[in-house]
Amino acid sequence: VPSSEIAAEFSADNTDYKGYDRGHMAAAGNHLHFIMAYSDTFILNNICAQNGDLNRGLWNDLEKMVRGIVWRCGECHVLTGPLFLGQTSYKNSRTQRNTLFLQRIGANGVALPSHFFKVIRPREGETQSYILPNRAGLKGSLAQFKVCKDEVERKAGFKIFYRP
């Protein structure tokens, strides 16, 4: 569902995701008890182009794992997002800032993430962090993609669950 809150020049529509799943950053399955929250997970602001093998495979396993943690602990903070790693960048000589060229899909130029991350902080227990590549044929176990939170912060470029 396109969002009415996003300016048209920055909007996407469902046809932009052809060949990819519309991966929910806030998982629809986490919001089944609240119809408005569940419906909101389908707004394209919450969607990233996700390879179907990832979305229906290990990413789905990770989302189920999070629901299990919530079931056991009663409360859990989760941060999920796209990463754009290994894509070409250059330094603008005028501004001295790095510019990243993103791989884009669809008529509206939706950015195609190279990876996705999820950081899970339960009320009790240790924080868990994962980075999974957004590619076809992804197999294995979630343990292969478990990383420390600091690695996610370095790759994302911001602090997660930061308390000064």
Side-chain angles (χ1 to χ4, degrees):
V1 179
S3 171
S4 60
E5 298 175 9
I6 302 293
E9 64 266 25
F10 302 115
S11 291
D13 62 50
N14 284 317
T15 62
D16 289 320
Y17 297 88
K18 187 175 181 181
Y20 291 90
D21 284 6
R22 288 177 297 281
H24 295 73
M25 296 299 93
N30 294 353
H31 298 86
L32 295 174
H33 296 82
F34 304 100
I35 190 66
M36 287 301 296
Y38 175 78
S39 296
D40 285 350
T41 68
F42 291 90
I43 294 174
L44 292 180
N45 304 15
N46 182 51
I47 302 294
C48 284
Q50 205 168 43
N51 181 279
D53 289 347
L54 172 62
N55 190 37
R56 293 179 292 251
L58 286 172
W59 195 256
N60 187 45
D61 294 345
L62 186 55
E63 289 177 340
K64 288 177 185 175
M65 185 187 83
V66 169
R67 286 191 281 278
I69 292 170
V70 171
W71 181 257
R72 286 188 305 280
C73 297
E75 182 179 318
C76 187
H77 293 240
V78 180
L79 183 63
T80 303
L83 294 171
F84 301 91
L85 307 175
Q87 299 193 26
T88 306
S89 66
Y90 77 96
K91 186 169 224 148
N92 183 312
S93 58
R94 185 177 59 79
T95 64
Q96 294 301 303
R97 292 187 177 180
N98 289 329
T99 300
L100 182 65
F101 289 101
L102 301 175
Q103 184 177 351
R104 296 185 176 273
I105 59 170
N108 291 301
V110 171
L112 181 62
S114 62
H115 295 75
F116 288 94
F117 72 87
K118 191 174 290 285
V119 181
I120 307 144
R121 186 178 75 183
R123 182 173 56 192
E124 298 172 8
E126 72 175 66
T127 296
Q128 299 180 55
S129 305
Y130 298 85
I131 296 176
L132 286 82
N134 189 22
R135 62 178 163 81
L138 191 62
K139 302 254 188 249
S141 71
L142 286 173
Q144 294 172 261
F145 301 99
K146 192 172 185 179
V147 298
C148 66
K149 181 176 69 84
D150 293 346
E151 184 173 346
V152 176
E153 290 175 337
R154 279 192 302 279
K155 291 183 176 184
F158 56 84
K159 292 287 187 187
I160 297 171
F161 305 135
Y162 178 71
R163 291 186 189 154

